[in-house]
Amino acid sequence: MPATREVPRFDPVRVRGGHRPGRLLRHRRRAVAAGLAVTATALVAAGPRDADGARGHPPRPPAHTASASGERPAHPGGAAGPVTAPIRISDAATVRLLRPGDRVDVIAAEETVSGGDARVVARGARVTKVPEPVEGDGGALVVLSVPRATAARLAGASATARLAVTLW
């Protein structure tokens, strides 16, 4: 084993400017501020997203779950929010009783050979507009606010049946 060498003696090394606590503290504040800015930017960029990665749009319920009104969207991923649906009610005198804001049930009455069959097509639909009836038109128009799936059922029922309303 070789002999150990001794380290020669030398004066301490002095760094220009020395060690100032104020300067170190100022740099620490800048580092923390920069770190916070980077973190905030990363959080905004990675912000909340829907399952499909879209931001800034209202969330849509999954296709397999029902909406708040208990009805399914018209197609997978479709919005379950209310839409306006104009329908023609066969009795114009009944329509004159309606006012915007009223709640109604819409009933479809189908006439068959064996008799009449009535079914409720929409429950609790809100009346949004009651246009002036046109004379000799065979009924009156009413504009309702209903979920999208209910609007599709109303359109289908109006093609094959006479529609009537009952006030709540």
Side-chain angles (χ1 to χ4, degrees), residues 60-68 70-73 80:
R60 289 183 265 169
H64 64 279
T65 61
S67 68
E71 298 172 352
R72 295 181 157 276

Side-chain angles (χ1 to χ4, degrees), residues 87-93 95-96 131-134 137-142:
I87 60 168
R88 181 157 303 280
I89 304 300
S90 58
D91 185 10
V95 174
R96 280 185 256 148
E132 291 295 321
V134 178
D137 205 15
L141 191 68
V142 177

